[in-house]
Amino acid sequence: MTDPALSGVRRGSLTEGERVTLTDAKGRRHSVVLRAGTQFHTTKGAVEHDDMIGQPEGIVARSRLGLEFLVMRPLLSEFTVTMPRGAAVVYPKDAAQIVMGADIFPGARVIEAGVGSGALTMSLLRAIGPDGVLHSYERRPEFAEIARRNVANFFGAEPPCWTVHLGDLALDLTDDPVDRVILDMLAPWDCVEAIAEVLVPGGMVCAYVATTTQLGRFVETLRTHTGFTEPECTEHIVRGWHAEGLAIRPNHAGIGHTGFLVTARRLAPGTVAPRRKRRPAPGAYGPDYTGPRPPGTTGLDG
């Protein structure tokens, strides 16, 4: 990733083959790959790609009937929500929280499962930099192929620090030590034993799950293992604001629930953290509870 293009940031004039975002006066965005001699068609005539190729970023392109579009290279956050996808993507608001919450740093050795369409992969590659290592595990080859194309499209080539593994992380994980593990999968609790073997003391695991039942089972599995710190669970909601003169108010639309994040840190081998003191929750581990049971709890716990 020493090549500047492998940062995903291009500078200078727009070139054939790269993707641009066309934004109209109503804020509607269109993702277009520039090809010489082709056109972007609208209800008010076509926009010539040749009018954009060779021009600087930030120009205004016009259709034959005068419809105007602002032309910009897409930001990573824009690219990930407009790129081709097979699996659902991790949205930018959650990717940002994962990078910060899991403390992804330059040079980090990171495991990701699964790779999906590659949206989170791009953020992780940006964060670890050229000296880091990212191993992405994906069970479905068609998803892995889509992710490969998306990553190569954004960075200009597949970063050499990135390896895609076709298989199940719980079964195929290597013994190489890692600093961070990111789990975006249906049953992340199945991987706890495997990741505990490779995650260095102080390393972090972060799971992205969609439902409260997944959240609860993963949290209790980490507690039952006893080799991790008390899990922290968060949800992040984004709300934009409208600001125009005296009309300042929240936008009517926002980005609500997309998923939950669960983070925990690996303890030193053989260490058991002091049990977290918390107010009793009546019936939390009562007879109706059937999930993993942390040490020290009984069927009558409240």
Side-chain angles (χ1 to χ4, degrees):
M1 261 171 83
T2 55
D3 186 337
L6 295 182
S7 68
V9 177
R10 294 177 172 85
R11 298 182 176 91
S13 300
L14 300 174
T15 60
E16 183 178 9
E18 70 173 304
R19 187 176 295 272
V20 296
T21 299
L22 306 184
T23 306
D24 66 17
K26 293 185 177 181
R28 292 174 297 200
R29 296 174 178 175
H30 308 271
S31 183
V32 176
V33 177
L34 296 178
R35 302 293 183 194
T38 60
Q39 302 168 325
F40 170 66
H41 293 275
T42 77
T43 56
K44 293 188 177 182
V47 178
E48 299 288 341
H49 286 207
D50 289 344
D51 292 342
M52 296 179 277
I53 295 173
Q55 298 298 315
E57 192 174 358
I59 64 168
V60 173
R62 294 175 176 82
S63 72
R64 291 178 180 175
L65 296 181
L67 187 62
E68 295 184 333
F69 294 90
L70 180 63
V71 183
M72 291 282 190
R73 291 184 172 99
L75 302 174
L76 176 57
S77 58
E78 295 172 338
F79 184 88
T80 55
V81 297
T82 59
M83 68 187 187
R85 63 179 70 175
V89 301
V90 175
Y91 278 85
K93 73 180 183 71
D94 295 315
Q97 294 296 331
I98 289 171
V99 169
M100 178 60 71
D103 194 40
I104 309 297
F105 58 90
R109 300 163 297 178
V110 182
I111 286 175
E112 171 198 25
V115 69
S117 298
L120 178 59
T121 304
M122 298 177 200
S123 293
L124 295 175
L125 287 168
R126 270 264 185 95
I128 65 176
D131 298 323
V133 176
L134 176 61
H135 292 275
S136 298
Y137 286 79
E138 176 56 57
R139 293 179 179 178
R140 299 181 59 171
E142 65 272 25
F143 287 173
E145 182 56 32
I146 292 172
R148 285 183 183 277
R149 289 199 300 267
N150 285 333
V151 170
N153 189 313
F154 183 76
F155 288 102
E158 284 193 22
C161 61
W162 181 46
T163 304
V164 180
H165 303 267
L166 284 176
D168 190 329
L169 181 147
L171 302 175
D172 303 322
L173 188 59
T174 66
D175 295 332
D176 297 331
V178 297
D179 304 298
R180 304 289 185 264
V181 176
I182 312 298
L183 303 175
D184 175 18
M185 54 195 303
L186 185 63
W189 47 86
D190 289 341
C191 299
V192 169
E193 291 292 341
I195 65 175
E197 294 298 317
V198 299
L199 196 57
V200 299
M204 292 195 70
V205 58
C206 175
Y208 177 73
V209 295
T211 69
T212 54
T213 51
Q214 290 173 300
L215 172 75
R217 182 159 181 182
F218 185 65
V219 165
E220 298 301 349
T221 301
L222 288 176
R223 287 177 177 151
T224 302
H225 185 277
T226 72
F228 293 87
T229 59
E230 176 68 11
E232 295 186 5
C233 313
T234 57
E235 177 187 26
H236 304 277
I237 296 173
V238 173
R239 182 175 71 172
W241 277 71
H242 171 91
E244 186 176 1
L246 297 177
I248 300 177
R249 55 169 174 75
N251 286 342
H252 297 306
I255 304 176
H257 173 76
T258 49
F260 302 102
L261 298 182
V262 182
T263 58
R265 300 188 70 177
R266 184 72 169 99
L267 299 173
T271 300
V272 177
R275 188 178 179 188
R276 177 72 64 90
K277 299 295 183 181
R278 57 171 65 87
R279 292 183 178 181
Y285 295 102
D288 294 331
Y289 174 74
T290 58
R293 193 173 294 278
T297 60
T298 68
L300 301 178
D301 282 350

